[in-house]
């Protein structure tokens, strides 16, 4: 069941699973040697890796609905609540921006967008919708945002390119990003950004779907029935994602197309429902206790998810930045030096790369476990 503080064990476990997955896919030993599911789809289509970011936004939406629901029930002042959420969003954005600045602090070319920056923008935009709108209005806003996004992506003529071109750097969203963020986008493309401004609108919808799920959890409907309805909603979203992939726009994480939004919401609902039933709902004590044991590492991770994400990103950057002198007079990054013994193992390049990611994850978990043991929980 839920713990005495009112937290959902399932939500912490799902959050921990998601951060563990993100640390795994972000830290291979060799980016040129990856299992296909541990790399993003090249453009259209999706892999396991492409599901991780939408899961974060969905979880953030559920958390917003639950926390705001409790605060509203306690009679919290809505303007003060919005100010608190705005400050939280600003802090998350600054953390993400600082990670982009490290280690060179080149303000002239620093990338402004990023994962944490998108989470911050979605939180900022979702806050008034959550505080002031009922579920029907929230659902209508999702529909409106996806409709406006689709109309502009498909029918607005991008200068020099035309309308409805969904190739890298040629879509409407990339054109907006170049006008606003020119010189401050993803360095590997320079003409578009996977966390750009315009595609934040459908990403916001992913968070609002989480808000709707959280509101549903606050209802008086029996929890077992809630699991069934969430499973059915998840299957419906998967079906809509597949249909929209065919009739509207392809599934594409970088564009965050409506088909991608629905598909990943579907997977999020199915996975969260499984955690929810196992850890907070099911009546079989032995099953619940067994599930609590094997998901406990995820819960530990989930209690400090933002810190672990930011810290793991910082460590990965420093492993690439710190250089060690070599006998031949050259230099090698600390990360490559640490990976060398794994690379030489007779297990194949892909498995060596995966082993590095697993060991890196184990180190991050050790830090999360230490913080959990000391009851150090970083709140933003």
């Amino acid at each position: 069941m839920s713990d005495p503080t009112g937290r959902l064990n399932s939500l912490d476990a799902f959050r921990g699973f998601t951060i563990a997955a993100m640390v795994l896919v972000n830290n291979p030993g060799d980016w040129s040697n990856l299992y296909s599911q541990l790399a993003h789809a090249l453009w259209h289509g999706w892999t396991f890796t492409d599901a991780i970011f939408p899961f974060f936004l969905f979880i953030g939406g559920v958390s917003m609905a639950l926390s705001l629901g409790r605060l509203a029930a306690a009679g919290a002042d809505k303007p003060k609540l919005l100010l608190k959420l705005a400050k939280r969003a600003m802090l998350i954005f600054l953390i993400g921006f600082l990670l982009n600045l490290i280690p060179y602090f080149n303000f002239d070319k620093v990338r402004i967008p990023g994962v944490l920056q998108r989470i911050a923008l979605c939180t900022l935009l979702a806050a008034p919708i959550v505080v002031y709108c009922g579920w029907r209005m929230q659902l209508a806003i999702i529909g409106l945002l996806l409709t406006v996004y689709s109309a502009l992506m498909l029918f607005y003529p991008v200068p020099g390119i035309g309308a409805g071109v969904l190739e890298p750097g040629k879509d409407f969203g990339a054109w907006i990003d170049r006008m606003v963020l020119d010189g401050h986008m993803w360095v590997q493309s320079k003409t578009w950004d996977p966390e750009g401004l315009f595609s934040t609108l459908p990403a916001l919808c992913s968070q609002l779907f989480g808000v709707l799920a959280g509101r549903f959890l606050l209802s008086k409907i029996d929890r077992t029935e809630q699991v069934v309805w969430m499973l059915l909603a998840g299957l419906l979203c998967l079906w809509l994602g597949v249909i929209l992939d065919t009739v509207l726009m392809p599934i594409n994480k970088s564009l965050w197309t409506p088909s991608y939004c629905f598909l990943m919401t579907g997977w999020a609902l199915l996975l969260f429902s499984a955690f929810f039933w196992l850890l907070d709902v099911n009546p079989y004590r032995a099953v619940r206790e067994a599930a609590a044991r094997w998901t406990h590492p995820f819960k530990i991770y989930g209690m400090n998810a933002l810190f672990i994400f930011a810290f793991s990103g910082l460590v990965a950057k420093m492993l690439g930045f710190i250089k060690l002198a070599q006998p031949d007079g050259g230099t090698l990054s600390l990360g490559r030096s640490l990976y060398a013994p794994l690379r030489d193992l007779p297990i194949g390049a892909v498995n060596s790369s995966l082993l590095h990611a697993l060991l890196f994850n184990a180190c991050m978990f050790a830090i999360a476990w230490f913080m959990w043991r000391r009851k150090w929980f970083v709140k933003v």
Side-chain angles (χ1 to χ4, degrees):
M1 300 294 176
S2 304
D3 69 23
T5 67
R7 295 180 69 101
L8 284 178
N9 292 317
S10 52
L11 192 61
D12 281 330
F14 186 24
R15 184 186 293 110
F17 166 82
T18 305
I19 189 64
M22 182 166 278
V23 172
L24 179 73
V25 303
N26 282 351
N27 297 280
D30 183 354
W31 285 100
S32 61
N33 287 288
L34 301 173
Y35 282 101
S36 60
Q37 290 299 313
L38 300 183
H40 289 293
L42 292 177
W43 191 242
H44 296 322
W46 66 283
T47 67
F48 168 74
T49 300
D50 294 312
I52 296 171
F53 194 3
F55 286 2
F56 266 120
L57 292 177
F58 179 88
I59 292 165
V62 175
S63 298
M64 285 185 74
L66 295 178
S67 61
L68 291 177
R70 285 193 289 267
L71 290 171
D77 182 80
K78 290 183 178 180
K80 289 183 179 179
L81 208 54
L82 285 179
L83 181 60
K84 179 181 178 180
L85 288 168
K87 290 179 178 178
R88 180 176 187 270
M90 184 180 298
L91 183 55
I92 293 173
F93 189 96
L94 288 175
I95 292 171
F97 184 66
L98 181 61
L99 285 174
N100 285 355
L101 275 173
I102 295 172
Y104 300 109
F105 291 90
N106 186 344
F107 284 89
D108 291 334
K109 296 183 178 180
V110 64
R111 182 190 177 203
I112 294 176
V115 170
L116 290 180
Q117 293 89 314
R118 172 161 284 182
I119 291 174
L121 286 175
C122 287
T123 299
L124 183 66
L125 294 171
I129 299 172
V130 176
V131 170
Y132 289 108
C133 300
W135 70 267
R136 291 180 180 85
M137 181 59 71
Q138 290 170 4
L139 195 59
I141 289 172
I142 291 173
L144 177 62
L145 288 174
L146 293 179
T147 299
V148 170
Y149 172 86
S150 300
L152 290 172
M153 288 289 284
L154 293 175
F155 302 116
Y156 189 92
V158 176
I161 296 173
V165 180
L166 302 181
E167 298 175 13
K170 297 182 179 181
D171 61 277
F172 175 83
W175 176 59
I176 294 292
D177 290 340
R178 285 194 296 275
M179 287 197 298
V180 180
L181 302 171
D182 189 34
H184 297 279
M185 291 185 288
W186 191 40
V187 68
Q188 291 178 262
S189 69
K190 298 183 180 179
T191 60
W192 60 277
D193 197 291
E195 278 80 49
L197 289 173
F198 189 62
S199 57
T200 297
L201 294 181
L204 170 61
C205 295
S206 293
Q207 182 146 345
L208 291 176
F209 276 126
V211 169
L212 289 172
R215 289 179 63 99
F216 183 63
L217 292 175
L218 291 172
S219 70
K220 296 180 180 180
I221 297 174
D222 177 77
R223 285 197 160 184
T224 301
E225 191 175 342
Q226 286 180 341
V227 172
V228 174
W229 280 112
M230 284 194 296
L231 287 172
L232 291 174
L235 292 173
L236 175 62
C237 286
L238 289 180
W239 179 76
L240 287 172
V242 172
I243 294 298
L244 292 175
D245 175 58
T246 303
V247 303
L248 187 65
M249 280 185 275
I251 294 166
N252 187 302
K253 186 245 178 212
S254 295
L255 301 179
W256 214 285
T257 53
S259 55
Y260 173 77
C261 178
F262 275 105
L263 188 80
M264 295 308 158
T265 297
W267 284 120
L269 280 166
L270 293 180
L271 193 54
F272 175 61
S273 297
F275 277 112
F276 185 52
W277 187 85
L278 284 170
L279 297 173
D280 292 310
V281 177
N282 93 78
Y284 306 107
R285 181 176 179 179
V287 175
R288 192 169 64 247
E289 289 177 350
R293 284 194 299 271
W294 69 260
T295 60
H296 191 57
F298 291 147
K299 186 175 180 181
I300 291 173
Y301 244 151
M303 298 293 281
N304 274 303
L306 178 61
F307 174 83
I308 291 297
F309 176 80
F311 183 71
S312 65
L314 177 61
V315 170
K317 280 204 166 191
M318 298 314 295
L319 288 177
F321 177 69
I322 298 172
K323 305 295 182 182
L324 302 178
Q326 300 299 302
D328 61 3
T331 60
L332 190 66
S333 71
L334 176 58
R336 301 304 295 176
S337 298
L338 293 174
Y339 177 57
L342 301 179
R343 184 188 58 217
D344 295 336
L345 292 174
I347 57 176
V350 173
N351 290 323
S352 294
S353 182
L354 175 59
L355 179 59
H356 178 278
L358 292 170
L359 291 174
F360 189 97
N361 219 331
C363 292
M364 292 302 108
F365 174 75
I367 293 169
W369 178 84
F370 179 80
M371 295 176 70
W372 173 77
R373 288 283 293 180
R374 296 294 187 276
K375 300 188 185 309
W376 296 347
F377 303 117
V378 180
K379 304 290 185 182
V380 175

